[in-house]
Structures are given as structure tokens and as C-alpha cells.
Amino acid sequence: MSNILGGSIPWSKYIPHKPFGTQMAYLMLPHLDALFGGAAGGGKSDVLLMHALQYVNVPGFSSIILRRSLTELKQSGALLDRAAKWLSGKEGVRYSSDEHTYYFDTFYKNGRPGAPAKLQFGYLGDYRVEERIRGEGDEPAKDEGMVAEYRDWE
């Protein structure tokens, strides 16, 4: 994990390019909730994926990106396709197609292995989404991100 912009934005080796202006502004926001809108091709999906990947080095980190439908997730060039282009073949990354989830190997500062980080994809028609957001039986989770993204780490 390194930083960009003089160290103010955590960065991940899994993000293949630097954000452009409005993406950078979004990633720098200190708020728990933010909106990022615009026309098609404006970088919204990229910035969601960048944001979710910023902390996949943290043991136990979990993030979920939601879309309205499975079709919106699976379309060519959509989030699952983009994530596959960014993450396929990367060392320490495993993908479960049944769960639409990427798992990342993590390590504590002392070098000991940590709990894997997760980047999950879901859609609102999936009855399992609420369970995935809540942690499958754990205490109700706190919403720490956008409506389209949930982040949780210990």
C-alpha cells in the first residue's frame, strides 16, 4: 500500500491508473457519505472500484458494491468485467464466481497473515444482499460508505 498526492490518499497496487480530477476529489472526501454523478463514461464505476480497493490490505476489511440488477453488474465493461481486468492473475487475489467476491491476502505489520479482505458485488434483487451487508448473522453493520458501497473493517 502506498499513497498518492503527497500521502493523503491511501493507494492500492490493484488500482491500475491514477484518478483524474473529479475522481481524486471524491477519494479525498473525509465524509462517510458522498454522491458522484454525471454522464456515462464519467468515471463513476472506476472511482467506486478504486475506493473499494483502497483498503484491501487491511485484515478483515470488507466492501460491497451494489447495482440494481445482476445484468448491470455483468454487462461487458461493467463493474464485474472491469474488476476482472484489474484483478485477474494478481498474486494474493482469489475470485469466487458463486459469491461475486474477490478475496485478498492480508498481513499484519509484523508479517503475520491476517483475515482476508473482501470485495463483494451484489444487486438489489439478490435476497442474500442484506445478509452479506450485515455480515451473515453478526450484529447489524454500520453504514460507512455510499449507498452503492458498504465498507467495514475492524
Side-chain angles (χ1 to χ4, degrees), residues 47-108:
V47 80
L48 272 178
L49 198 48
M50 287 177 186
H51 194 51
L53 290 170
Q54 281 182 293
Y55 300 98
V56 295
N57 68 312
V58 176
F61 172 81
S62 183
S63 181
I64 187 166
I65 298 177
L66 301 172
R67 288 290 196 228
R68 278 177 269 199
S69 69
L70 182 59
T71 302
E72 287 183 28
L73 277 174
K74 288 188 160 188
Q75 289 175 333
S76 178
L79 277 165
L80 280 174
D81 187 48
R82 191 168 315 197
K85 287 178 182 165
W86 289 17
L87 302 170
S88 291
K90 301 287 187 189
E91 186 177 340
V93 180
R94 295 171 311 287
Y95 180 66
S96 169
S97 59
D98 292 344
E99 301 172 346
H100 302 301
T101 301
Y102 283 91
Y103 292 92
F104 299 83
D105 293 341
T106 64
F107 297 90
Y108 291 101

Side-chain angles (χ1 to χ4, degrees), residues 128 130-141:
R128 298 170 296 176
E130 185 175 348
E131 291 174 1
R132 291 168 70 191
I133 290 173
R134 292 189 179 275
E136 296 150 318
D138 294 343
E139 293 180 30

